[in-house]
Structures are given as C-alpha cells and as structure tokens.
Amino acid sequence: MRTIEVVRQRVTAVKAPESTSHKCCLQMHALRHASRRLRHAVNAIRHSSQQRQPKKPFVILSMDGGGCRGYMSIRLLERVCEEAPGFLDRVDLFAGTSTGSILAAFLAGGASPAEAASYYEEYVPAIFGRPRNLVRRAWDAKFSNRPLKDALRTYFGDATVAQLPKHFLAPALRVDGEASSTTSAEVWRLSQSREGGWRPAVFSNLPAVRGARPDVELKISDALLRSSAAPTILPLYQNYGDGGAARCPQLVSWL
C-alpha cells in the first residue's frame, strides 16, 4: 500500500506542471480575446464620434436696402469686423437687396467694409444729389439712375456675376411678365409658373440646382441696377424693379 501511495504522489507531482501550464494558456487566450474586443469597442466609439461631428454651417450675410442708409450698414459691419477679426472670411454667401445688393457685391468681390464705405462717401452725393422737377416726377422717378450706373461701372467694369470670388445673391422684381433665370429653385418655380404679371427674380453665382441656373453672363452692374431700382426713387432698369418689392434677401437666400 505504501508503494502505491508513493507512486500516486510521484504521478501527481509530474502532472502538476502540465495543469498549471494549461491554465496559463487559457488565461492568455482569454486576455487576447478581451484585448481584441476592447480594440473593436474603441474603434466603434471613435467612428461613431466622427459621424456625430456637425458639418460646417453655411454662413449667409444678408443686408437690407435703404439707399444712402447703406453707409450706416457698412460702417456697422466695419465695427463688427474690428471686434471679430476674420468674420467675413467665414461668410459663404453675401446677399442683399437694393443698396444691400451693392454692399453684397463689394464684399463678395473681396472689398473691405472700409473700402465700400469710402466708395459710398464719394458717389452717394451725386446719386441722390439733384432730384428731378415736380412735373417730370409725375410720371418718372425722383432721381436719374445715370450717376449710379456710372459709379457701378467705374468700379465693376464689365465683370460678370460669375467672376465674383465668393457667392453672391440679389433679388429683384420683373414687371414685364417675362420669366427670369435664378439659382433659387423655389423662386425659380414661382417665376416660371405665372402667366404674365410681376415675377420675382434672383441674380446669383450659386451652382445650378433643380432646374434653376446661375446668371453667369450677367454683368454685376446690371444685376445691381436691377435690384436697386427703388419705386418712385429710381427708374426701372431693363424691366426690373427693386428687390425689396419681390422678396426679402434673408428669405430668398434661405430658399
């Protein structure tokens, strides 16, 4: 019996290292499996966080009309740019109607607010300087658009809307019943659906969308003269009236 017990002890002593080695292998295998699962979880979290990151917002700067009051708007914008350097660099679309369309074209063309303000100081006295006599104003506008036309063509020359380095948009109102091209799909639908009558129009260099097309061949000066033809103040230009009579630039640029 004693001999059998000794043999058992020797067998147990021999098997003990094998059992310990097997347990270590199982632990290493479980550890590697847990490590793989952890890596997969981290990658999934990283991918999910990347998908949830918000896209860069499309920034629109829209300016209303008001004739020579546009000078106050551009001076206020100059103060904003002083307090927030690089503000205009973050703007994707410059929109405006009437005098706001002129400011939008200046800024979309790369001019600073100070440069636009100095241009207003030079030309506004001539644009709104001498009204027509009361007899002629009975059937015509208060001011001639010749000084404004000369001022715009002096600055922009024959450049087209497509040549503006940044996106630009200006609404107007067509009064001869003919359809107008526009890049805003919603306004384009309205401008095409009416038979005769006044129609909204938008001049822009935005990409073509759903049937609407950009006004790539339209001169900047012509687009601005159309959008700034304020009723009773300046005469119609090429059968277009002031954009404020059609749609506000904020709504049009959003559409």
Side-chain angles (χ1 to χ4, degrees):
M1 293 292 293
R2 186 174 299 174
T3 303
I4 296 173
E5 189 66 29
V6 171
V7 172
R8 285 179 178 175
Q9 290 177 359
R10 289 178 180 176
V11 170
T12 303
V14 171
K15 289 184 176 180
E18 294 180 359
S19 177
T20 303
S21 176
H22 181 65
K23 288 181 180 179
C24 288
C25 289
L26 291 176
Q27 290 175 354
M28 290 296 294
H29 179 72
L31 185 61
R32 283 196 295 268
H33 182 66
S35 178
R36 283 196 298 269
R37 293 185 61 184
L38 180 61
R39 280 199 304 271
H40 290 323
V42 170
N43 290 334
I45 294 172
R46 197 173 291 165
H47 181 68
S48 176
S49 63
Q50 290 175 352
Q51 286 184 330
R52 285 198 298 267
Q53 286 179 354
K55 296 181 179 179
K56 178 187 177 298
F58 190 84
V59 180
I60 301 172
L61 177 62
S62 179
M63 289 161 283
D64 288 327
C68 56
R69 296 180 184 87
Y71 180 77
M72 294 189 293
S73 299
I74 200 64
R75 283 301 186 189
L76 286 172
L77 182 59
E78 185 181 9
R79 293 287 301 273
V80 170
C81 293
E82 291 175 356
E83 296 295 328
F87 169 72
L88 292 179
D89 295 332
R90 298 192 292 271
V91 176
D92 299 294
L93 170 63
F94 294 94
T97 188
S98 196
T99 193
S101 69
I102 298 174
L103 295 177
F106 273 117
L107 298 173
S112 67
E115 291 172 336
S118 65
Y119 213 72
Y120 267 60
E121 291 173 357
E122 181 178 355
Y123 286 100
V124 162
I127 295 171
F128 298 107
R130 185 178 180 180
R132 288 166 169 165
N133 61 61
L134 292 175
V135 176
R136 184 167 180 180
R137 284 161 58 183
W139 71 86
D140 206 345
K142 183 177 181 179
F143 297 97
S144 168
N145 63 2
R146 173 58 61 180
L148 177 59
K149 185 186 299 184
D150 292 340
L152 294 176
R153 289 183 175 171
T154 299
Y155 185 85
F156 293 104
D158 292 330
T160 64
V161 172
Q163 292 177 290
L164 289 169
K166 280 203 169 186
H167 289 144
F168 161 80
L169 181 148
L173 184 69
R174 186 152 187 170
V175 299
D176 62 352
E178 297 296 327
S180 301
S181 65
T182 172
T183 56
S184 173
E186 179 63 21
V187 179
W188 181 83
R189 183 185 63 79
L190 292 174
S191 69
Q192 304 298 313
S193 62
R194 301 181 182 182
E195 295 183 1
W198 294 3
R199 301 166 183 262
V202 176
F203 313 118
S204 175
N205 58 358
L206 288 166
V209 178
R210 288 181 293 177
R213 53 197 181 276
D215 304 278
V216 293
E217 298 180 357
L218 179 65
K219 291 182 180 179
I220 299 172
S221 58
D222 288 338
L224 301 182
L225 285 165
R226 293 175 181 183
S227 182
S228 60
T232 74
I233 304 299
L234 292 171
L236 296 175
Y237 184 76
Q238 297 176 347
N239 295 317
Y240 287 91
D242 192 290
R247 295 275 177 126
C248 66
Q250 294 93 336
L251 176 60
V252 173
S253 57
W254 179 77
L255 290 173

